[in-house]
Amino acid sequence: MKIGIIGLGTVGYGVVEILTNEKERLSKAINEEVVIKYGCGLEEIDLPDGIIYTKDFNVVINDDEIDVVVELIGGTTIAKTIILDAINKGKHVVTANKALLAHNGKEIFMAAKENNVHIFYEASVGGGIPVLVSQKESLVANNTKEIIGILNGTTNFILTLMENENLDFDEALTIADGLGYVEANPALDLDGIDAAHKICILAQNGFKKFIDFDKISATGIRDVTKIDMDYAKKLGYRFKMIAQAKEINDGIGIDVAATLVSKKELVANVMDAYNVVEIDNDYVENVIYYGKGAGRYVTASAVVSDIIKTSQIERWSHDYEDCTNIYPITKSKYYLRASKPLDVDYEMYFTEKRDHIYITHEIELADLTTVLNDEEYTIFKVRG
Ligand SMILES: NC(=O)C1=CN([C@@H]2O[C@H](COP(=O)(O)OP(=O)(O)OC[C@H]3O[C@@H](n4cnc5c(N)ncnc54)[C@H](OP(=O)(O)O)[C@@H]3O)[C@@H](O)[C@H]2O)C=CC1
Ligand SMILES: N[C@@H](CC=O)C(=O)O
């Protein structure tokens, strides 16, 4: 197996290291020598002996000896060209590029099918956690009912810091940024866009439907305050940025939102930069996947396992229909904080200083906002 790795940054160099250190064992596992022929990056770096450095990804794609192209540059422009060109040249492709797959997955999967090549992308969701392979292979007997997850480590780290250290959002963000957690474009993390990319990929595979990414509602964690975090704590909840998808009526409900999760739920106890995915199925019922969602070796572990999987004969099918009806999930329990008593049905209520705090029964958001009229209030979804 001859491999070309395009992108030698955090993940790409980790892949080079693992494949080099584990070459003998991995080659034995597939009964074929695993060889990195090219490392492609914008700037030349030291590569282990035998790997050819190139600046030009076309050198990799146009080499007839290359079986697997590994795209690890990120983004949705050049990466798309690289992946489609590689597929059209009959190469298997491995990528960790969640943004590209959420936006252009359909086109890429179709091209892979037409060219009879593998496209594997385990590292795009949950870093090293083997959740996609489980969805595509181990859960094949099941119909998925619901998927929920904490799919962004950065925001989970920030929420954990806010809670444990009693910090404001901005204070916690500064610390997370200083530790290198926050993406170059912070909106991807903070506004839930990265988590939306990941739930889009999970939902497509779970419900066997293509989802138009632009229809997914994502609100992120910028509105979570220390005040609401304290009230949540008093009521037995913890703030988490929850990505959720489930089949509803004639379509798919899917969104990402800061949510109060009961501390009794396993998901509420996933702290720091860890990720979790919980999939509810008809036969095996609930299964939970937990682990680190980012980091050089964590992510490279999933990429290497995908590279090795390209030696298998059977292709992953992505013969999905388009889902035209995509909705935010608005039927929920809600947390409300207002400066006056509110006329709402509730499960829990207390008042402190000038605040009136409610956890409502499950209700449609539109019905709730009708009752609230012009009152000023803070609102978040509640789970559990
Ligand atoms: N880091 C992580 O923990 C995780 C990352 N991912 C995904 O993995 C992918 C890679 O991420 P990561 O390694 O962190 O990103 P990095 O920015 O660390 O690495 C990307 C590398 O690609 C290089 N590059 C950019 N354009 C080209 C080009 N045209 N030809 C060759 N090389 C190029 C960059 O060079 P330069 O720096 O000079 O621009 C950089 O070294 C992304 O899709 C990301 O979303 C997924 C899960 C976790
Ligand atoms: N920014 C992402 C990195 C991995 O996908 C995260 O925080 O989870």
Side-chain angles (χ1 to χ4, degrees):
M1 173 189 287
K2 289 214 166 54
I3 303 158
I5 300 173
I6 304 177
L8 297 170
T10 306
V11 182
Y13 203 80
V15 173
V16 170
E17 285 186 83
I18 296 180
L19 283 177
T20 305
N21 295 341
E22 305 301 328
K23 177 177 169 143
E24 206 181 312
R25 189 172 53 77
L26 294 171
S27 301
K28 230 183 207 171
I30 57 166
N31 213 8
E32 185 184 354
E33 193 185 8
V34 175
V35 178
I36 309 177
K37 180 160 182 185
Y38 295 106
C40 170
L42 292 179
E43 277 172 39
E44 183 157 9
I45 52 168
D46 271 349
L47 288 168
D49 288 349
I51 303 177
I52 303 165
Y53 166 78
T54 176
K55 204 182 216 160
D56 179 3
F57 59 77
N58 286 306
V59 170
V60 181
I61 295 168
N62 292 325
D63 184 332
D64 290 339
E65 275 199 356
I66 291 293
D67 304 298
V68 188
V69 170
V70 183
E71 180 279 308
L72 292 168
I73 72 169
T76 53
T77 52
I78 301 169
K80 184 178 170 193
T81 306
I82 290 171
I83 289 180
L84 288 175
D85 285 358
I87 287 173
N88 289 323
K89 294 259 174 196
K91 320 274 185 210
H92 304 303
V93 167
V94 171
T95 180
N97 195 330
K98 58 243 168 165
L100 179 63
L101 291 174
H103 286 280
N104 299 105
K106 183 177 174 182
E107 186 181 348
I108 290 167
F109 298 142
M110 297 291 184
K113 184 183 174 187
E114 273 162 30
N115 288 278
N116 200 24
V117 294
H118 290 294
I119 165 90
F120 290 131
Y121 47 97
E122 182 62 73
S124 65
V125 178
I129 308 171
V131 58
L132 297 180
V133 69
S134 177
Q135 262 194 319
K136 294 291 291 179
E137 298 179 13
S138 319
L139 294 175
V140 74
N142 292 267
N143 297 288
T144 299
K145 287 162 43 182
E146 185 177 1
I147 305 167
I148 73 148
I150 296 173
L151 300 177
N152 181 269
T154 305
T155 43
N156 207 39
F157 181 76
I158 291 172
L159 291 172
T160 302
L161 263 184
M162 286 176 71
E163 182 184 329
N164 291 348
E165 309 297 328
N166 198 27
L167 301 179
D168 280 324
F169 170 76
D170 287 331
E171 292 170 320
L173 172 59
T174 305
I175 294 173
D177 200 18
L179 291 170
Y181 277 110
V182 186
E183 299 256 359
N185 173 5
L188 290 174
D189 289 322
L190 306 178
D191 298 330
I193 301 165
D194 172 71
H197 291 150
K198 294 166 180 169
I199 193 73
C200 179
I201 294 168
L202 284 168
Q204 291 188 156
N205 286 340
F207 304 120
K208 320 275 182 285
K209 302 242 171 70
F210 284 118
I211 292 170
D212 178 352
F213 178 78
D214 295 331
K215 291 189 179 164
I216 299 179
S217 148
T219 46
I221 64 161
R222 289 186 208 257
D223 292 340
V224 179
T225 64
K226 205 153 71 172
I227 302 172
D228 294 311
M229 198 153 244
D230 282 347
Y231 288 145
K233 222 185 268 185
K234 284 191 177 137
L235 292 165
Y237 293 91
R238 184 168 268 149
F239 269 97
K240 293 288 164 195
M241 190 172 82
I242 296 293
Q244 185 182 10
K246 61 178 178 183
E247 276 184 318
I248 45 173
N249 306 325
D250 58 343
I252 293 177
I254 181 165
D255 61 24
V256 179
T259 303
L260 281 77
V261 184
S262 164
K263 284 185 190 167
K264 291 181 196 145
E265 296 223 356
L266 232 142
V267 166
N269 296 292
V270 172
M271 307 301 277
D272 300 312
Y274 276 81
N275 281 196
V276 68
V277 182
E278 184 173 347
I279 306 182
D280 190 18
N281 307 277
D282 49 0
Y283 297 114
V284 70
E285 299 177 15
N286 263 35
V287 282
I288 297 192
Y289 306 85
Y290 167 82
K292 287 192 174 165
R296 166 166 283 173
Y297 298 113
V298 164
T299 313
S301 156
V303 173
V304 170
S305 111
D306 278 353
I307 293 170
I308 296 306
K309 265 172 73 66
T310 62
S311 66
Q312 74 183 25
I313 306 283
E314 217 155 290
R315 312 266 182 257
W316 277 6
S317 154
H318 295 91
D319 286 336
Y320 305 157
E321 286 170 11
D322 287 327
C323 179
T324 37
N325 301 324
I326 309 290
Y327 310 105
I329 300 169
T330 46
K331 192 168 183 192
S332 173
K333 296 203 280 186
Y334 286 94
Y335 162 97
L336 288 168
R337 173 168 60 86
S339 55
K340 290 186 202 154
L342 299 170
D343 185 18
V344 292
D345 282 339
Y346 58 82
E347 262 182 26
M348 293 189 214
Y349 166 76
F350 76 97
T351 179
E352 187 172 306
K353 296 178 194 151
R354 298 177 55 177
D355 291 328
H356 297 262
I357 317 298
Y358 298 84
I359 302 288
T360 70
H361 291 297
E362 192 169 81
I363 184 169
E364 262 301 338
L365 182 60
D367 296 336
L368 185 59
T369 44
T370 309
V371 175
L372 295 172
N373 277 325
D374 293 333
E375 302 291 345
E376 278 203 7
Y377 56 87
T378 298
I379 189 165
F380 291 103
K381 288 212 273 189
V382 173
R383 194 175 170 86

